[in-house]
Amino acid sequence: MSPLDISLADLIARLDEELPGANELARISEARLRAQTLSDLGDQLVDHYVSKARQAAASWTEIGDAIGVSKQAAQQRHAPAAFERFTNLNRHSIVLAQEAARTHKHDFIGTEHILLGLLGEPRGLAYEILVAKAGSEQRIREAVEEAMPPAGEKALRGHIAFRPESKEAIEQARRASTDLGHDWVGTEHMLLGLIRTEESPAAQILHSLGFTSDELHETVKTEITKRLAARDKQ
């Protein structure tokens, strides 16, 4: 089996390059955050292939054997749940939202962190829609940072819980996908979920940038139609 196209030396060099003036303790904190992100991405990688195996009619016993855990442990950890039907880009944006919460030393994942997660995934349709409307990524980031709660004393390790409004936004994203007749939940649906969670910080930020729920719905619908038509022509 080929090794991953990444090495410890690569990770060290990149961190040192991005934090040239930081002391060793600051680098430890940053390294811990990056390690958690790598761990989260690794979990998503396993989830992806578990989903593929389930589609191919593999049993949970077989999947557990492949992972090296019991059937019950495999099913508990990898059975589809909150992020079922989420695209890989959208799952990645959720990982980035968690990283944003850690970076700001918050003990929760709020809708404002989810919005930052969408901004961190420029391949997603949500990013294109956001920047096209706001004029620049920086303008959106500044609006989010202005609305952010004060930073905590230290970054949390391990799992960070979603706030109730974030859970509602995720549910609204699934509903938006269903409303549009789609069988996936992409970053564009997540953006709709945020603005539909009306009292959330992200919704207020989006409104301040000139977005409305109805207009955003139509924009997503139009852009998806264009993309599907372009794909059919290929």
Side-chain angles (χ1 to χ4, degrees):
M1 180 178 178
S2 300
L4 292 175
D5 187 20
I6 189 172
S7 70
L8 177 60
D10 293 332
L11 295 173
I12 292 173
R14 181 171 176 178
L15 193 153
D16 288 345
E17 180 183 349
E18 294 179 2
L19 299 176
N23 61 33
E24 297 309 316
L25 293 177
R27 292 178 192 226
I28 290 173
S29 297
E30 180 62 23
R32 182 67 187 86
L33 293 175
R34 297 187 185 199
Q36 185 62 53
T37 299
L38 288 171
S39 176
D40 292 337
L41 288 172
D43 288 342
Q44 288 192 40
L45 178 65
V46 175
D47 286 344
H48 172 78
Y49 285 105
V50 167
S51 176
K52 292 285 187 182
R54 290 294 292 166
Q55 292 172 16
S59 70
W60 282 111
T61 299
E62 292 171 322
I63 291 171
D65 289 343
I67 297 174
V69 299
S70 68
K71 166 189 173 181
Q72 291 77 11
Q75 191 167 10
Q76 181 177 9
R77 182 167 182 176
H78 298 286
F83 304 114
E84 185 178 9
R85 297 193 300 125
F86 271 47
T87 63
N88 289 338
L89 293 184
N90 204 12
R91 287 173 183 264
H92 185 226
S93 77
I94 295 295
V95 172
L96 294 177
Q98 180 175 261
E99 185 175 3
R102 282 200 176 88
T103 299
H104 288 81
K105 300 180 180 178
H106 294 154
D107 59 358
F108 60 88
I109 300 175
T111 57
E112 58 272 45
H113 301 115
I114 295 177
L115 185 54
L116 281 180
L118 293 177
L119 278 179
E121 185 41 88
R123 296 170 296 173
L125 179 54
Y127 178 90
E128 293 184 19
I129 292 172
L130 282 165
V131 174
K133 179 75 171 180
S136 71
E137 176 183 336
Q138 186 60 33
R139 182 186 175 204
I140 304 167
R141 289 191 177 277
E142 288 174 356
V144 175
E145 292 296 335
E146 186 176 342
M148 275 284 180
E153 294 184 1
K154 63 180 181 178
L156 292 187
R157 297 182 178 182
H159 176 71
I160 302 179
F162 287 97
R163 273 192 163 173
E165 61 264 30
S166 296
K167 294 180 180 179
E168 174 63 19
I170 291 169
E171 177 58 31
Q172 288 291 347
R174 288 198 291 264
R175 292 179 185 175
S177 172
T178 300
D179 290 346
L180 289 165
H182 300 156
D183 60 0
W184 74 91
V185 182
T187 61
E188 64 276 15
H189 304 113
M190 194 67 250
L191 185 58
L192 283 171
L194 290 176
I195 202 168
R196 289 183 178 186
T197 309
E198 296 180 356
E199 299 303 318
S200 70
Q204 300 304 313
I205 293 167
L206 291 171
H207 287 311
S208 73
L209 293 169
F211 288 93
T212 66
S213 183
D214 289 343
E215 180 187 15
L216 185 54
H217 177 91
E218 289 304 313
T219 299
V220 169
K221 182 178 179 180
T222 299
E223 290 301 319
I224 290 294
T225 300
K226 287 181 181 178
R227 291 190 172 200
L228 293 177
R231 186 185 67 182
D232 290 341
K233 291 180 180 179
Q234 293 178 352

